[in-house]
Amino acid sequence: MNWEKRIGKLRKKFGEKNIEAVLITNPANIFYLSGFTGSAGFIFAAPEKAYLITDFRYEEQAEKEISLQIFDLVICSTKIIDRIKDLVESENIKRLGIEAKHMTVDFYNELNEKLSRCSLIPVTGIVEELRTVKDEEEIDRIKKAAQIADSAFDYIIKFIKPGLKEIEVAAEIEYFMRRNGASKASFDIIAASGERSALPHGTAGERKLGNGNLLLMDFGAVYKGYCSDITRTVVIGKASEKQRKVYDIVFEAQNRALETAAVNMTCSELDGLARSVIAEYGMGDKFGHSLGHGVGIEVHEAPAVSKNSREVLSPGMVITIEPGIYIKGWGGVRIEDMVLVTEKGLQVLTFSTKELLEI
Ligand code: ZN
Ligand code: ZN
């Protein structure tokens, strides 16, 4: 990873945000900027120097993970906040950016009190904006994470049978992914069957798969710090006419988005492409969530692919396209793929079959 380039890009944003330096507290942003995976640490990026501040528990790990040419590693034996104060003062920073969404009120108050000669400037998205466009190494990791999820799907459709509990399906998917290179699942696996499939985020429960049930499975793997995210909906036994019809509508909506999307389109336009198909069939009110989201270090990250998102599709973005129809008391269907935005349109990264499987 080109850490120097990333810190350079971060510093270029200082002017736009009207700050002289920034304190990074979001672990995903710390990982993006430095490769550090410890659960306690900060990055203080000043105009010339950058510091990774952590405590003795992570000393050895940090030395292995980060570039010591780029970062000064600061190991605190006393209160971390006092070291931050010393560094900010020695760098003579008067306007320090802080991540508004990633700092507790307690920490803010304490920092504010200690840094009496420096203003704390809340900023949002300063690193998240950089993260929306992936470089080649990131794309390779995401592709590998997607591949693990695809093979998990191939595996699970052979495992599924009536009488299994949702939680058993979820556990089996996770176990398969971890045996096949994933460090963990990218979120709590969703396996929702029957009427429970109408819950867009129905985590796996005790319900047993019954004949004629829809089964919605939404899952992903983490590979070297990068996530994948895929959803497939299958039928246990034979699909009814209504299940098939709903499935076809979702499939058509997804295809419309996949085929029509182009660079420079806004995310809200992309969302509208799929949404209008579902609305044409009179089911607009059954698609209550946004069409997709960015995927990378976090499974949900910028850009949001939603009705109100003015973000523009740029080459290198990795997003999901996941329309769904959810009918209370009956069930739901969602189909989700990950795509890479390219100059030529969307390149699909997940390849599991989208034929309606009857298992
Ligand atoms: Zn998903
Ligand atoms: Zn998703």
Side-chain angles (χ1 to χ4, degrees):
M1 301 285 185
N2 194 335
W3 310 114
E4 196 154 16
K5 198 168 162 193
R6 290 184 186 179
I7 288 281
K9 280 187 179 169
L10 175 68
R11 288 197 176 107
K12 281 209 185 98
K13 285 184 163 275
F14 288 180
E16 169 196 322
K17 306 275 184 192
N18 197 15
I19 55 177
E20 296 166 359
V22 70
L23 183 69
I24 302 295
T25 43
N26 175 3
N29 290 341
I30 292 170
F31 176 68
Y32 177 77
L33 292 170
S34 69
F36 181 61
T37 60
S39 56
F42 302 89
I43 285 177
F44 170 48
E48 300 291 331
K49 287 176 107 177
Y51 304 85
L52 185 103
I53 309 156
T54 185
D55 63 65
F56 76 99
R57 292 172 299 169
Y58 298 102
E59 185 168 7
E60 206 182 323
Q61 181 182 340
E63 281 168 358
K64 281 191 188 131
E65 288 178 338
I66 70 170
S67 160
L68 297 171
Q69 273 87 52
I70 308 223
F71 290 94
D72 280 20
L73 178 59
V74 179
I75 302 294
C76 295
S77 45
T78 52
K79 257 187 115 179
I80 220 161
I81 208 159
D82 291 324
R83 288 307 290 275
I84 294 171
K85 171 184 186 283
D86 293 345
L87 291 170
V88 170
E89 285 178 353
S90 71
E91 289 281 349
N92 199 23
I93 300 301
K94 296 281 176 284
R95 296 180 64 81
L96 175 67
I98 51 164
E99 294 189 284
K101 291 187 176 165
H102 299 278
M103 186 173 282
T104 62
V105 175
D106 266 1
F107 193 90
Y108 175 85
N109 286 340
E110 202 177 338
L111 195 61
N112 203 21
E113 202 173 290
K114 297 223 163 167
L115 292 173
S116 50
R117 280 165 294 165
C118 169
S119 316
L120 300 181
I121 316 293
V123 293
T124 48
I126 189 164
V127 182
E128 287 84 348
E129 288 158 17
L130 303 176
R131 279 169 46 199
T132 59
V133 172
K134 274 70 180 172
D135 64 28
E136 235 162 89
E137 271 181 282
E138 295 183 285
I139 291 166
D140 283 347
R141 291 184 187 193
I142 291 170
K143 280 183 175 168
K144 177 71 187 163
Q147 223 173 64
I148 296 170
D150 274 335
S151 15
F153 182 70
D154 281 349
Y155 168 77
I156 204 67
I157 54 178
K158 288 178 214 119
F159 175 82
I160 290 168
K161 57 175 189 280
L164 277 180
K165 288 179 186 168
E166 294 168 352
I167 194 82
E168 291 174 300
V169 174
E172 199 64 24
I173 293 174
E174 177 149 2
Y175 186 47
F176 178 92
M177 293 195 300
R178 295 183 80 149
R179 277 197 329 254
N180 286 277
S183 56
K184 58 181 177 181
S186 50
F187 54 93
D188 278 349
I189 293 171
I190 295 171
S193 63
E195 68 288 344
R196 290 194 72 251
S197 58
L199 308 166
H201 272 184
T203 45
E206 293 292 318
R207 192 182 184 285
K208 286 182 178 165
L209 308 183
N211 212 18
N213 285 173
L214 287 162
L215 170 63
L216 185 155
M217 292 172 285
D218 187 351
F219 57 95
V222 178
Y223 177 75
K224 292 192 177 168
Y226 283 80
C227 299
S228 59
D229 186 9
I230 180 175
T231 306
R232 289 293 183 266
T233 308
V234 301
V235 177
I236 311 299
K238 200 151 170 43
S240 70
E241 212 172 295
K242 186 172 178 185
Q243 286 168 338
R244 206 163 270 286
K245 194 174 162 226
V246 170
Y247 191 91
D248 287 346
I249 297 168
V250 176
F251 184 70
E252 187 182 334
Q254 199 209 27
N255 268 336
R256 179 82 57 90
L258 290 174
E259 283 162 13
T260 323
V263 163
N264 293 331
M265 184 179 266
T266 63
C267 286
S268 77
E269 283 173 286
L270 176 56
D271 180 278
L273 287 173
R275 202 166 294 284
S276 62
V277 172
I278 294 176
E280 278 161 31
Y281 287 97
M283 294 201 159
D285 61 329
K286 305 284 187 280
F287 176 25
H289 58 73
S290 51
L291 181 63
H293 52 86
V295 188
I297 294 168
E298 289 171 292
V299 72
H300 292 125
E301 59 181 45
V305 184
S306 66
K307 264 188 235 177
N308 306 317
S309 171
R310 287 197 301 270
E311 284 173 279
V312 172
L313 293 179
S314 311
M317 283 180 170
V318 174
I319 56 172
T320 65
I321 307 285
E322 49 179 306
I325 292 177
Y326 310 94
I327 303 169
K328 212 174 155 191
W330 178 80
V333 170
R334 176 165 69 251
I335 307 173
E336 171 179 29
D337 283 301
M338 286 171 75
V339 297
L340 170 66
V341 180
T342 76
E343 293 290 354
K344 289 183 226 141
L346 302 183
Q347 180 195 333
V348 179
L349 303 179
T350 35
F351 299 101
S352 296
T353 183
K354 286 189 269 185
E355 200 186 307
L356 178 57
L357 295 180
E358 298 174 309
I359 297 174

